Amino acid sequence: MGVTGCMRRESLADQMVNYMNEKYEDRFTYSAPFGGGTGGSARQILVTSEKYPDAEIVVTYSSEAESYSDNYVEHKYEQQTYELLEEVLSGAVQTEVLLTYEVGYHGTTDNFSEETTFEEYVSDFDALIQFIAVIKEDCELNDRDEFVQILQNKFSEHQLLAQGRLYFAEESSQFLKFGQLDLDVRRKLLQLNICMTSAGIFDTAEWRETR
């Protein structure tokens, strides 16, 4: 019985790899199981890609829905997404920005394909684009409502749907230390949670001190 069960698991993993090979113009190899699945009716694995060898790509199979999903396109456009976020944030504040963005393990989707363009990807909330940014306090924006409006306009201009945390450094030393991942400094910064929704509405949580 144990051997039969193992064969079934291997067979499903093969099917998941084949799904990826058929869906994208790339070649994939099974890497490892991932996280024990997202529930009783789902299984997840990690696969490697010839085009993006450093990416840990998640593939999900739902037996309940009899469907597959993955986060390949997130990895495909990771660098472009980083560059766009940096452009949008820097353009909004006209000063230096320390940006942290990378594809995480927060979910998979069946909403993207080989034909999905970068513009379609960043304007679809299924992309789950999440980031952290630190902005120098000398950005010359005294009115935070004004800043939110400028940021909203920049996000809308690029049709970028994302959510993240913004921190404003009180002094240059904090800004530099944050780049070195100084968590004590991070707790002393001013934080704003933001979210550009699929309806095009720019939501903000209240500003709060993170001391």
Side-chain angles (χ1 to χ4, degrees):
M1 181 174 179
V3 174
T4 304
C6 181
M7 291 176 63
R8 281 200 296 269
R9 288 195 294 273
E10 291 175 350
S11 175
L12 178 55
D14 288 340
Q15 291 175 34
M16 296 167 80
V17 172
N18 290 336
Y19 149 81
M20 295 293 289
N21 285 329
E22 292 174 3
K23 183 176 181 181
Y24 299 107
E25 295 176 2
D26 200 343
R27 297 301 298 173
F28 301 90
T29 304
Y30 173 83
S31 176
F34 177 68
T38 56
S41 64
R43 183 186 174 192
Q44 291 185 307
I45 63 171
L46 295 177
V47 299
T48 58
S49 152
E50 286 187 358
K51 289 185 177 180
Y52 310 101
D54 295 331
E56 292 190 318
I57 299 163
V58 181
V59 185
T60 302
Y61 174 73
S62 169
S63 58
E64 186 175 287
E66 296 185 345
S67 64
Y68 299 91
S69 59
D70 60 87
N71 68 346
Y72 176 79
V73 173
E74 284 90 329
H75 288 283
K76 177 180 179 179
Y77 291 132
E78 182 173 11
Q79 183 60 34
Q80 285 177 261
T81 302
Y82 179 92
E83 292 171 357
L84 179 58
L85 284 169
E86 192 171 49
E87 176 186 343
V88 169
L89 292 168
S90 297
V93 298
Q94 299 295 312
T95 189
E96 292 182 72
V97 175
L98 289 175
L99 174 64
T100 299
Y101 164 76
E102 60 182 11
V103 176
Y105 298 120
H106 41 63
T108 57
T109 179
D110 60 358
N111 203 33
F112 304 129
S113 69
E114 181 66 37
E115 290 71 37
T116 300
T117 66
F118 177 65
E119 291 73 21
E120 291 170 338
Y121 166 70
V122 296
S123 62
D124 192 315
F125 208 66
D126 275 351
L128 296 173
I129 297 171
Q130 300 175 345
F131 67 91
I132 296 174
V134 183
I135 298 169
K136 274 191 172 181
E137 184 64 16
D138 62 1
C139 61
E140 298 181 357
L141 284 172
N142 298 320
D143 187 338
R144 294 184 182 128
D145 290 335
E146 175 191 0
F147 168 75
V148 170
Q149 184 61 52
I150 292 173
L151 197 57
Q152 176 183 358
N153 293 342
K154 288 291 183 181
F155 271 66
S156 298
E157 177 184 331
H158 292 275
Q159 296 185 318
L160 171 61
L161 302 183
Q163 55 188 355
R165 294 178 181 175
L166 298 181
Y167 296 90
F168 286 77
E170 294 178 338
E171 52 190 53
S172 296
S173 61
Q174 290 183 341
F175 182 79
L176 295 174
K177 287 179 181 179
F178 193 95
Q180 301 168 359
L181 300 179
D182 189 323
L183 298 183
D184 288 334
V185 171
R186 182 181 300 189
R187 285 194 288 268
K188 296 177 182 178
L189 302 178
L190 188 64
Q191 177 183 328
L192 171 65
N193 294 324
I194 64 172
C195 180
M196 188 72 170
T197 73
S198 55
I201 302 171
F202 195 83
D203 295 329
T204 63
E206 290 186 2
W207 293 83
R208 65 184 181 87
E209 296 288 347
T210 61
R211 298 179 190 279

